[in-house]
Amino acid sequence: MIKRKQVFLYFLSVILVVVSIVYLPFVNGFFQQDEWNLFGVFTVFRGLGQNFFLQDFIKGSGLHFVPLANIFSYLEFSLLKLNFVEYAFTSIFFHVLATALVFAFVSLLINNKRFGLLSALFFGISNAGNQATTWVVANVSVQGAVIFSVLSLIFFIKFAKSANKISYYISYFLLVISLLFKENAIAFFVFLPITFYLYANKDLRKKYFYPLFIFVTGVFYGLIKVFMILHASVSGTAGSQSKLAILYNLITFPLKGLVQTIIPVDLELSVAKSIALIFPEKVRGFFATTQFDIFVQKRVLEMLTFVFFLIIVFICFFIYKKIEDKNIKKGIIFAFIFVLINSFIYALSPDRVGIIPIVDSRNLYFLTIGSSILISICIYFVYLYNTKVAFLISFLFLVLNIFYLNKNIRNVTMDGVLRKNILDTIKKDYPILPEKTIVFTQSDSSFYGLPENTKIMPFQSGFGQTLLVWYQEEENFPKEFFENNFLWNIDSEGYMESNGKGFGYFRNFGDMMNYISTSNLDKNNVIAFDFNSSNDVLTDITQEMRGRIEGFEAKKRILNPNQIKIFSSSNKDGLNKILDRNEKTFWDSKLPYSNYQYLLLSFNKPHAVARLTIDSYNNVNQLNVGYRIEISNDNKNWQEVFENRSDGSENGKVDIYFKPISAKYIKIEQIGNDNYTDWVINELTVYEKY
C-alpha cells in the first residue's frame, strides 16, 4: 500500500513539474493594466499609514467585498515592490498548489487516485484559465478563492461520506475565506446542498440542518450582493447592463463556461471564422474588418457554442448510461452541475456590457475544475474499450491546450518585455525627474481597439499613471497623484501639482502647450520620447521637443510666399497651388505616401522658420501622414529639427513647430504609411520668428 501511494505521489510530482515548466516562460513577462491601477491604489493606502485597513480593504467598494485579496496583494506589493519575476514565481506556485488540491479533491470525490491524476493534469495545463496565473497581481483574488474553495469541497465531501461535524464546520469556514478573496464560489450556497444530497448517506440526509444552514446563509449573502449591485456607482458594472442582456447572459453563460473550458476558445474562434467565410460578404462583412469580427463572435460563435454544448451533453449522458461505477456516475453529475451552477455569477462581470460571447479567461479558471473531471471520466470510458484511442485523445487534448497556452503566454510575455524595455529606457535616460515634470510621448499607432487617430504607447492602461508608479520609489510622489484615477484611463492626459511636486503626461502637443502656458512651466521640465511600432524602438526626442516648444512660444509672422521657391521629389506639376492661398486647389504627389518623397523649400535669404502649417483641407486620407523636417544653409549639410511619423490631422491641418534656426533651405520629408493614398497638400504656410 505504501509503495502504491508513493507511485501516485511520483506521478503527481511529475504533473506538477510539467505544469510549472509550461508556465515558466511567462516569468519573462511584465505587469498587466489592472495591476498598475492596483499599485496606484496601494500607494495611496501606504500614504494613509495604518488607516488603510479601515478603507476599501475592509468596507469594500463598488460590487466587491474582498478584503483578504486586498490585504494579501498589499502585503505582496510592500514586500516585492515592482519585481515582476518574484510575482510570477509566486503566481506559478499558487497554480501548482491549486493543481495539487484538485488531485486530492477528485481522488476523494470518485474514490480513485487515477481520476485525481488525470483531472489535475488537465486542470494544470488547461489554456482556459491562463489569465488567473499570468495576471500576477489580479491572480491573488482568483487563485486564493479557488484554493480555499477546493479545500472547502474536500472537507465537505469528507463530511458527506463520514458525517464528521468538524469537517462540515471547517468546510463552511473555508468557504467564507474563499468568498473574502473573491466571490467565485458564491453559488456554493446552492451547490453544496445539492452535493450534500448527492453524496450523503440516507441517515445523514434526514438531518436538514446542514444543507439548510448553508442555503439560508447564502440567501442573506445574496441579498447583500444584490443591494451592492443595485446601489453600485461604479460605471461599466453589471448595474449598467440592460435587463435583456443580463437575462441572455445568465441563460447562456453556463453553456459557454462548459464549452470554453473544454475546447480552447482560440480553436473555437478559428472554426467560427472558417464557417463565417461561407456567408455572403454583405452578411458577414469583409474579412479582417471589425464588422466581420463582430459577426464571427456574436453570430457564428454563439451558434457554434450551442452545438458544442449539445455534443458535450450527449457524450456525458451516453457515458452516464453506459458506465456502471456509481462513483463515476456521481462524478459526472457533480462535475456537470459544478460548471453550470458556478457560471451564472460571471454574467454580471464588471466592465462587460451587452451580449458576451467569450467568458474572460480568469473567470474560466474556477470552472475548469468541473470540466477536468468530465474530461478524465471521458478518457477513462474510452480507455475501457480502446487503450490506444484513449491515449491518442489524451495526447491531442494536452497538445492543443499546451499549444494555445504557450501561444497566450508568449503573447503576454512579448507585450511585457516591450513594456518593460520602454520603462527601463525612460528611467535609464532620466533616473531622477525634475520637481515639476511633464512627459510627452508620440506614437505611430493606436492599440487595443482605440480609434485610428488616437496614437498611444503600447500599454493597456494610462501610460501617465504607469510612469507615476514606475518612478514612485525614487520620487515619492504625493498620494494625491494616485487618487481619482488620475492619468489611469488608456487615453488620458493631464498635469497635477501637490506639495511642491508636479507631474503631467501628454500625447497631444497643443494640449501640453496649454498647460505649459497657463502654469508657467519651463520647457526644460519636459522630457519626450518617440515610439516606432514597426521596430518597437523608443527614441529620446527631448531636445527636439524643447525646440518645438521654443518654436511655439516664439513671436512669429507669415513668410511671404513670393520669397519661397518649392521643389518636389515626385510630381512637379501643380506645385504653385501649395502656396497660392487658395485652400480648394491642391497639389497631388501622384505617389502613395508610404513611398519616400519630399518637398524642398528654398528662400531668397536665410530665415529663422519656427512653424509650418500643412493644410490638406477635406482630404480624409491624409490621417497617417508623417513628417521629418530638415534645415540647411547650403543644400548639402542638413540638420533634423522635427520628426513624427503620424502627424496627420482629422481636420486637415497640421501645425509643425521646431526650434527657430536661421536657414535658407527646408526639406519636408513625408514618412507616413499608406500604400494606396497619394500625398496631398492644399496649402502650406511658413512662419518665421521675428
Side-chain angles (χ1 to χ4, degrees), residues 495-688:
Y495 179 82
M496 178 185 290
E497 287 188 13
S498 178
N499 298 327
K501 294 278 285 186
F503 184 86
Y505 170 72
F506 292 92
R507 295 173 293 102
N508 183 283
F509 181 79
D511 291 342
M512 180 181 71
M513 292 311 304
N514 288 337
Y515 271 88
I516 290 178
S517 300
T518 57
S519 304
N520 295 318
L521 291 171
D522 191 284
K523 69 176 185 293
N524 293 318
N525 288 14
V526 176
I527 61 176
F529 295 88
D530 171 84
F531 178 70
N532 187 337
S533 64
S534 63
N535 54 17
D536 292 339
V537 170
L538 186 75
T539 304
D540 186 343
I541 58 169
T542 298
Q543 295 308 315
E544 179 189 313
M545 181 55 61
R546 291 173 182 174
R548 294 188 201 178
I549 296 172
E550 185 178 339
F552 181 90
E553 294 178 334
K555 292 183 178 180
K556 298 175 287 293
R557 63 189 175 196
I558 296 177
L559 189 62
N560 190 328
N562 294 328
Q563 301 179 39
I564 306 172
K565 292 182 180 180
I566 189 165
F567 306 90
S568 169
S569 64
S570 51
N571 181 28
K572 295 175 174 55
D573 295 329
L575 285 169
N576 62 306
K577 296 177 181 178
I578 293 179
L579 300 171
D580 66 359
R581 300 294 180 89
N582 184 349
E583 193 177 38
K584 294 185 179 180
T585 62
F586 62 89
W587 167 81
D588 187 332
S589 70
K590 304 297 183 181
L591 186 68
Y593 60 76
S594 58
N595 297 280
Y596 175 77
Q597 47 192 303
Y598 65 86
L599 294 177
L600 180 64
L601 307 183
S602 174
F603 308 126
N604 60 343
K605 64 179 181 179
H607 292 275
V609 176
R611 172 186 174 187
L612 300 174
T613 297
I614 300 175
D615 186 357
S616 299
Y617 191 43
N618 58 0
N619 191 313
V620 296
N621 294 316
Q622 303 299 300
L623 184 61
N624 293 318
V625 296
Y627 296 107
R628 181 186 297 116
I629 309 298
E630 296 181 339
I631 62 173
S632 174
N633 277 306
D634 57 8
N635 201 16
K636 294 180 180 178
N637 300 299
W638 295 92
Q639 177 184 350
E640 182 181 314
V641 293
F642 178 95
E643 181 175 333
N644 190 348
R645 288 175 309 283
S646 57
D647 215 21
S649 173
E650 283 190 317
N651 63 12
K653 288 187 178 181
V654 176
D655 287 318
I656 299 174
Y657 297 91
F658 46 88
K659 186 177 180 66
I661 301 175
S662 182
K664 192 174 180 181
Y665 300 94
I666 291 182
K667 184 185 290 184
I668 306 172
E669 299 182 35
Q670 208 305 109
I671 56 172
N673 184 26
D674 193 298
N675 294 321
Y676 305 100
T677 303
D678 297 350
W679 183 21
V680 173
I681 296 179
N682 291 59
E683 278 299 305
L684 171 65
T685 308
V686 181
Y687 297 80
E688 67 170 337

Side-chain angles (χ1 to χ4, degrees), residues 257-295:
L258 181 64
V259 172
Q260 293 175 17
T261 50
I262 294 177
I263 302 172
V265 70
D266 293 323
L267 175 60
E268 194 180 2
L269 270 173
S270 297
V271 175
K273 287 180 180 178
S274 298
I275 295 173
L277 291 173
I278 300 173
F279 291 84
E281 283 186 352
K282 63 180 181 180
V283 175
R284 59 171 168 85
F286 291 103
F287 180 74
T289 62
T290 301
Q291 182 184 354
F292 178 80
D293 292 338
I294 291 173
F295 178 78

Side-chain angles (χ1 to χ4, degrees), residues 14-23 95-96 98-99 102 117-130 133 261-262 264 365 368 372 375 393-409:
V14 171
I15 289 171
L16 298 182
V17 169
V18 170
V19 171
S20 301
I21 292 173
V22 170
Y23 271 95
H95 178 58
V96 169
T99 302
V102 168
L117 289 173
L118 278 174
S119 299
L121 177 60
F122 295 137
F123 174 82
I125 56 88
S126 173
N127 171 64
N130 67 83
T133 303
T261 50
I262 294 177
Y365 188 68
T368 305
S372 298
I375 294 168
I393 294 174
S394 301
F395 178 77
L396 289 175
F397 184 84
L398 292 173
V399 168
L400 278 174
N401 275 275
I402 291 175
F403 171 78
Y404 285 111
L405 179 59
N406 180 262
K407 177 183 175 182
N408 285 317
I409 289 176

Side-chain angles (χ1 to χ4, degrees), residues 359-377:
V359 184
D360 289 332
S361 173
R362 61 188 180 277
N363 292 336
L364 293 174
Y365 188 68
F366 185 47
L367 305 180
T368 305
I369 297 171
S371 298
S372 298
I373 297 173
L374 289 176
I375 294 168
S376 63
I377 290 174

Side-chain angles (χ1 to χ4, degrees), residues 325-337:
D325 191 314
K326 291 184 179 180
N327 286 321
I328 297 177
K329 283 180 175 289
K330 289 182 179 180
I332 294 173
I333 297 173
F334 174 92
F336 201 83
I337 295 176

Side-chain angles (χ1 to χ4, degrees), residues 146 157 165 293 315 360 384 413 473 475 494 525-526 590 603:
V146 168
I157 293 298
K165 294 181 181 179
D293 292 338
I315 292 173
D360 289 332
L384 293 177
T413 302
E473 189 171 354
E475 298 296 331
N525 288 14
V526 176
K590 304 297 183 181
F603 308 126

